[in-house]
Amino acid sequence: MIRITGLSKKFPPRRAGGAALQVLRDINLDIAEGEFVCILGASGCGKSTLLNILAGLDRTHGGEVAIDGHAAGATRALRVGYLFQEDRLLPWRSAEQNIDFALTAARVPQGEWAGRKDRWLGMVGLDGFRGYFPHQMSGGMRQRLALARALAIEPQVLLMDEPFSGLDELTARKMRADILRIWAEARKTIVFVTHNAFEASFLADRIVIMAEGRIHETIAVPLPRPRDHDDDALFALNRVVVRRFLDITGGQDAPVQPHAGE
Amino acid sequence: MRELALRLVSVVCALAAWTALSRYLPDDLFPGPLAASTALLENIANGSVFKHLGITMLRVAGGLLIAMVIGAPLGILMGLSRLAEKTLDIWVMIALAVPSLCYGLVCFIVLGLNEWAAVVAIGLTGAPSITVNIWEGVKNIDARLLQMAQAFRANRWLVLYRVVLPQVLPYVMASLRFGLGVIWKIAVLIELLGRPDGVGFQLYYWYQLADMRQVLAWTLLFTLVMLFIELVLFKVLERRLFAWRPTVSA
Ligand SMILES: Nc1ncnc2c1ncn2[C@@H]1O[C@H](COP(=O)(O)OP(=O)(O)OP(=O)(O)O)[C@@H](O)[C@H]1O
Ligand SMILES: [Mg+2]
């Protein structure tokens, strides 16, 4: 479904004559249809940059990215939903109208709007807040609204950038369960960025560990589904993932340093 | 409510100060608020207010239109293109710095002493401040929201209508407000310079006759109309347009 070959990304130097910032280096990754992949990496290692490229928002990169055979962002035949790291709601539109915006943009027929809004606003627990403007909602509510907006277009491929990092553990657990249910029901392909190894172990078919713009390791998750948050096997796997992650990043959570262009 | 009370108190104080000052000075040199308002009422009764205020308003509206037509596209261009910004910003500063009287004189010389010249002069004077505001607004468009719209594959119109316009609108309003403030004043000056009617002409006429009562009456009228536009028209419009904003609706 998603095929990434030799992907690299360099941000131009901020001043003429300065060093370019190499954020992604030689990334190769194949993601099968219906697969749930978690990308685990320290802050600043290039995760959001990678998702931006997958969403087709950034086309100035090296290597190739194909989704269902098309260059990223090049076709309407396949819907790609992108949940940004920040909520990116329109402040001048109410909760419901923010979803209307996405439905209009994605050209969803008007007849389906009401049903979809009921369903997705209900799922994220915002049914009673339809008329609220973003500034009248809490950070977690805004994040959930952004999630509802991304899901409302019912994408085949869903890119999610740390969607639950701002939520309390109780709400996050509920949302994780919801995501897994939606994923199982609609057989979506999900790329989910997180820096929470436990969350990755709970959700993923495969965990991709990134550091300094490279993929260092891919760990398959053999746990059967449905999974249980309190399962010992899950904790055991979590320990393994954390161990590998610390080995790779040298035990420190340091962001990438600027490198001279290669 | 408290705000309104404070405003009222300040108005009453100002009127009292005016009255006190007029008592102190000879009547024909500096009449009080009562004398000025009776003169104003007389002018309203004999119809001269409507004639002259009407023509001034038309000139202001025409000038504002010209200012927008020239100023807004330039501002948009400068906000979008760095090249345009770097080439034009010095000229906008120069245009702002030139005294408004110069625009008036040049227009009357080049275009002749006619209505066209007056309106064009008013428009030219107002244009730079409109450019500056809109330039600022376009520059401040949030690129992250544009990305969001792009991720949902929104088409151009939707992006313009739902993402760009709401962000630029506050700056357009500010530019209108600012432009109008500049344009009112220049309109009066231009009328004094080369028109046989309008509020500016009246002010100059009575000034030449040394009739302070009438000068103050016309000034009062002018101020009241300005206040009405600022406090009533703009406030209502802004409340409508920016209801979503925390500061305005709160
Ligand atoms: N538009 C940009 N211009 C220049 N550099 C950028 C830009 N966007 C990101 N970077 C740089 O790229 C690197 C990776 O950023 P990215 O946002 O992908 O990190 P991340 O892995 O998502 O981190 P986090 O977990 O903190 O969100 C950072 O060093 C950042 O400074
Ligand atoms: Mg990020």
Side-chain angles (χ1 to χ4, degrees), chain B residues 147-159:
Chain B
Q147 272 195 336
M148 182 279 291
Q150 197 192 339
F152 282 102
R153 318 296 302 274
N155 66 30
R156 256 165 229 264
W157 278 113
L158 192 64
V159 173

Side-chain angles (χ1 to χ4, degrees), chain A residues 2 28-33 35-40 183 189-192 200-201 203-209 215 217-222 225 227 237 241:
Chain A
I2 301 179
N28 295 288
L29 184 65
D30 274 353
I31 298 174
E33 184 166 355
E35 197 179 6
F36 199 132
V37 169
C38 279
I39 296 179
L40 189 65
W183 170 68
T189 309
I190 298 186
V191 182
F192 188 109
S201 310
L203 291 173
D205 291 326
R206 227 167 10 132
I207 299 175
V208 174
I209 299 182
I215 292 183
E217 186 162 346
T218 312
I219 301 174
V221 180
R225 298 177 189 271
R227 295 174 186 164
L237 179 75
V241 173

Side-chain angles (χ1 to χ4, degrees), chain A:
Chain A
M1 182 59 124
I2 301 179
R3 166 157 289 181
I4 306 172
T5 27
L7 173 66
S8 66
K9 171 70 194 178
K10 225 187 274 185
F11 283 109
R14 284 211 290 146
R15 264 168 293 125
L21 187 66
Q22 183 88 36
V23 176
L24 298 176
R25 301 143 186 274
D26 192 32
I27 300 235
N28 295 288
L29 184 65
D30 274 353
I31 298 174
E33 184 166 355
E35 197 179 6
F36 199 132
V37 169
C38 279
I39 296 179
L40 189 65
S43 178
C45 74
K47 305 181 297 293
S48 298
T49 308
L50 176 61
L51 284 200
N52 274 336
I53 292 171
L54 286 178
L57 298 179
D58 183 346
R59 307 212 175 156
T60 58
H61 56 78
E64 281 177 23
V65 175
I67 298 184
D68 209 21
H70 304 278
T75 177
R76 271 189 178 276
L78 179 94
R79 267 186 201 148
V80 178
Y82 186 9
L83 184 61
F84 290 89
Q85 192 165 358
E86 325 87 58
D87 52 67
R88 303 207 191 185
L89 299 166
L90 299 174
W92 39 88
R93 303 260 87 196
S94 69
E96 182 170 9
Q97 291 169 331
N98 263 285
I99 295 187
D100 291 346
F101 175 82
L103 295 175
T104 313
R107 303 187 187 167
V108 173
Q110 288 249 352
E112 297 179 24
W113 286 20
R116 291 201 188 195
K117 284 189 284 190
D118 288 347
R119 171 161 188 210
W120 301 113
L121 282 170
M123 191 207 95
V124 299
L126 290 176
D127 214 7
F129 297 91
R130 288 172 178 243
Y132 279 53
F133 285 97
H135 73 87
Q136 295 167 321
M137 298 195 271
S138 74
M141 289 163 80
R142 287 199 292 267
Q143 196 62 41
R144 284 182 279 146
L145 177 56
L147 175 63
R149 180 180 62 180
L151 290 171
I153 63 166
E154 300 187 350
Q156 287 98 320
V157 175
L158 188 54
L159 312 169
M160 306 172 87
D161 200 345
E162 301 183 25
F164 307 143
S165 59
L167 302 179
D168 62 282
E169 185 51 27
L170 198 70
T171 313
R173 280 189 183 201
K174 182 189 167 295
M175 303 295 271
R176 283 183 206 124
D178 285 334
I179 280 293
L180 284 178
R181 211 190 51 240
I182 294 159
W183 170 68
E185 271 172 16
R187 295 318 295 172
K188 294 182 195 307
T189 309
I190 298 186
V191 182
F192 188 109
V193 163
T194 177
H195 38 219
N196 178 342
F198 185 79
E199 182 173 57
S201 310
F202 178 73
L203 291 173
D205 291 326
R206 227 167 10 132
I207 299 175
V208 174
I209 299 182
M210 267 181 79
E212 302 203 336
R214 282 182 212 281
I215 292 183
H216 279 261
E217 186 162 346
T218 312
I219 301 174
V221 180
L223 303 176
R225 298 177 189 271
R227 295 174 186 164
D228 181 357
H229 270 104
D230 302 315
D231 184 5
D232 285 337
L234 182 60
F235 282 107
L237 179 75
N238 177 43
R239 270 195 299 279
V240 174
V241 173
V242 170
R243 188 71 258 151
R244 293 300 304 140
F245 183 63
L246 292 179
D247 286 347
I248 288 163
T249 54
Q252 53 196 2
D253 224 37
V256 289
Q257 299 300 313
H259 293 278
E262 289 175 350

